[in-house]
Amino acid sequence: MDTTALLLADGRFPSGGHAHSAGLEAAVAAGQVNGLPELETFLRGRLATAGRVAAAFAAATRRVAADEPEPAATVTLLDEELDARTASPALRRASRRQGRALLRAGRATWPAPLLNRVPAHPDGYHHPVALGLTAAAAGLSPADAALIGAYGVLTGPASAAVRLLGLDPYGTQALLARLAGACDAVARAAVADAALPPADLPAHTAPLADIHAENHATWEVRLFAS
Amino acid sequence: MRPETPHDETVPHSHPDPSVDPHAPLADGGRALRVGIGGPVGSGKTALVAALCRALGDELRLAVVTNDIYTTEDADFLKRNGVLAPERIRAVETGCCPHTAIRDDISANLDAIEDLEDALGPLDLMLVESGGDNLTATFSKGLIDYQIFVVDVAGGDKVPRKGGPGVTTADLLVINKTDLAPMVGADLSVMDRDARARRGTLPTIFLSIAEDRQAQPVADWIRHLVGHRRPGQVTVG
Ligand SMILES: Nc1nc2c(ncn2[C@@H]2O[C@H](COP(=O)(O)OP(=O)(O)OP(=O)(O)O)[C@@H](O)[C@H]2O)c(=O)[nH]1
Ligand SMILES: [Mg+2]
């Protein structure tokens, strides 16, 4: 971890994440998250599913993008594999939208030629793939990419919870601090996965999150895009 | 109650030399002139966008991006009212923080602008309406070329005096709903005097969109900018 990694991990990195709650808004509306205890359960669940998958795909994409001379086909394959792991069309859209925004910010911040070796995706790459590409452009390691991926899976909905539920911000930070060890462990596992063929990367899912996301997309009034 | 701002108090503003345009030169050809429209909730931003579409829609190739806090209400309003073809309007969702989407993290707005340009081809004018926010919310220069800040007289004639970056630095301040001034006891001359004190040489326009459905003085201001940018080509087919 160095300053470059901190920049990319920072919630202030302008990559569109502020408009997304990662399913938290729907969980709040369903009465499943009202305070810090349920937020902890929600975040642990996300870390073990979306976090595990996002970290592995970020690390794998970073490896391919920076270490292989012709990464285009494998990056495309990684993106397709992630699509197959994302059952909800609403979540696919949200992931691609955030991936597109991240890559825009990443390109502007670290304009590395290696980004030109992968074709532009018309709808944007999935967010973890975009994260791996940005990490490669920034000169970061697969371990950095994995950790930033897992960390984002936690901090995105946590900051949405502060805004939606008016949670005590110190209590929320203390919760994140308690989850730090679990986050590190997910990132380590992801690094170990990164060399696997794309089809063998983790495929943990959370069906309730998929259902929530589909419902959320039909709401007439919502604060977050997802 | 604060004492009134004395007439001679000089308020720092963004045009130290009125003869020098502080804006970076625009890329010619390539992309549309981007004008941001910001201001507090309900001041008449969408009404102004609709008026500008009526005034300029046949004259310029134009498109609109709206930033709602909760919904696609503003975009839906524009579509319902038929002031612009629906494919020329995009809505951005801003996740609790309308000012973030126009200032700190402009990615979703840039994506929407690019999508419109891809779908519609070259454009002359891109209007970006921010979600209703507070007096400190202004647009990033990375998103727009010029910004209009819309306040209304119903918010009280103290608003220009309160200042803030929107009132003080916007390229154009629009004080809307002048038709309501007698109803709410707002003194327009006080607003005019305070706006001058805050804004120096930057222009302020008093408007009632309820009465001027094409917001003519604002449309003229934009015509001037577009013409200035492409000399001899103010209007397009
Ligand atoms: N009387 C009067 N009403 C106006 C005028 N301009 C707009 N309105 C009304 O003011 C209300 C709010 O106008 P909008 O254009 O929706 O305001 P807005 O700034 O876009 O609002 P948000 O996007 O919600 O922040 C609507 O009911 C308009 O019809 C005006 O000049 N006079
Ligand atoms: Mg509006």
Side-chain angles (χ1 to χ4, degrees):
Chain A
M1 265 284 149
D2 60 6
T3 303
T4 303
L6 292 172
L7 274 175
L8 182 53
D10 194 332
R12 286 165 293 191
F13 193 70
S15 54
H18 68 95
H20 296 264
S21 81
L24 187 88
E25 184 171 30
V28 167
Q32 288 163 346
V33 178
N34 309 302
L36 278 173
E38 304 92 21
L39 179 63
E40 174 162 1
T41 311
F42 180 90
L43 292 180
R44 285 192 187 279
R46 254 189 82 67
L47 190 59
T49 52
R52 188 78 175 71
V53 174
F57 275 81
T61 306
R62 149 60 189 83
R63 190 188 64 72
V64 171
D67 300 352
E68 288 185 11
E70 302 282 345
T74 315
V75 168
T76 300
L77 183 59
L78 283 162
D79 190 72
E80 289 167 358
E81 285 289 338
L82 200 44
D83 217 43
R85 284 161 176 73
T86 313
S88 150
L91 287 183
R92 288 184 184 181
R93 282 194 300 275
S95 172
R96 290 199 182 281
R97 225 188 277 174
Q98 292 179 83
R100 178 180 175 186
L102 173 58
L103 215 48
R104 174 197 291 284
R107 264 183 209 284
T109 312
W110 296 286
L114 69 82
L115 287 179
N116 300 328
R117 294 187 305 184
V118 289
H121 191 294
D123 305 321
Y125 284 106
H126 277 296
H127 185 263
V129 173
L131 176 58
L133 292 173
T134 305
L140 297 174
S141 67
D144 290 330
L147 191 54
I148 293 168
Y151 175 77
V153 159
L154 284 182
T155 53
S159 80
V162 170
R163 283 184 268 165
L164 272 176
L165 293 167
L167 293 183
D168 172 7
Y170 306 120
T172 308
Q173 289 305 311
L175 167 58
L176 288 171
R178 280 201 303 284
L179 294 173
C183 185
D184 291 338
V186 162
R188 277 195 301 274
V191 175
D193 292 333
L196 294 173
D200 295 340
L201 288 173
H204 302 71
T205 59
L208 190 56
D210 292 344
I211 294 166
H212 274 334
E214 287 303 305
N215 282 332
H216 184 265
T218 68
W219 293 2
E220 207 188 328
V221 175
R222 54 174 181 255
L223 283 167
F224 289 89
S226 76
Chain B
M1 198 65 184
R2 279 182 44 185
E4 276 193 9
T5 312
H7 281 215
D8 58 354
E9 180 180 300
T10 50
V11 180
H13 59 80
S14 64
H15 286 205
D17 181 349
S19 63
V20 175
D21 186 343
H23 298 91
L26 300 172
D28 36 52
R31 72 168 178 74
L33 180 82
R34 297 178 188 167
V35 177
I37 299 178
V41 177
S43 60
K45 298 178 292 299
T46 305
L48 179 59
V49 170
L52 291 174
C53 291
R54 282 183 212 110
L56 301 170
D58 294 335
E59 190 177 308
L60 299 174
R61 297 169 296 186
L62 87 96
V64 174
V65 176
T66 64
N67 283 248
D68 271 315
I69 312 183
Y70 306 120
T71 58
T72 52
E73 184 75 34
D74 285 343
D76 296 342
F77 175 88
L78 295 172
K79 289 175 188 169
R80 264 199 318 277
N81 280 265
V83 290
L84 199 63
E87 68 270 15
R88 294 185 172 267
I89 303 166
R90 288 279 154 118
V92 166
E93 289 171 297
T94 58
C96 271
C97 288
H99 53 268
T100 304
I102 60 160
R103 190 183 56 206
D104 313 86
D105 185 347
I106 57 179
S107 54
N109 273 297
L110 290 175
D111 285 345
I113 288 173
E114 277 176 14
D115 287 347
L116 283 165
E117 283 171 342
D118 283 351
L120 301 169
L123 298 168
D124 303 306
L125 177 64
M126 183 76 68
L127 298 175
V128 183
E129 181 191 343
S130 83
D133 207 303
N134 58 48
L135 293 173
T136 68
T138 51
F139 286 84
S140 161
K141 300 267 194 307
L143 177 59
I144 51 91
D145 304 309
Y146 291 88
Q147 53 191 315
I148 302 175
F149 200 72
V150 184
V151 300
D152 66 14
V153 304
D157 58 18
K158 65 193 179 300
V159 169
R161 189 160 64 243
K162 284 189 170 181
V167 165
T168 308
T169 68
D171 298 292
L172 176 66
L173 177 67
V174 169
I175 299 178
N176 186 33
K177 307 193 192 178
T178 51
D179 56 298
L180 297 181
M183 271 81 107
V184 298
D187 184 340
L188 298 183
S189 69
V190 167
M191 298 184 92
D192 188 36
R193 188 197 64 208
D194 292 341
R196 278 176 210 278
R198 290 282 170 217
R199 295 174 52 73
T201 56
L202 288 170
T204 299
I205 289 175
F206 284 85
L207 194 65
S208 165
I209 299 172
E211 290 163 1
D212 178 355
R213 307 290 291 158
Q214 304 210 352
Q216 282 305 345
V218 182
D220 286 343
W221 183 81
I222 288 182
R223 282 189 187 100
H224 175 78
L225 290 180
V226 175
H228 180 67
R229 199 169 160 225
R230 301 181 311 144
Q233 279 191 63
V234 182
T235 58
V236 174

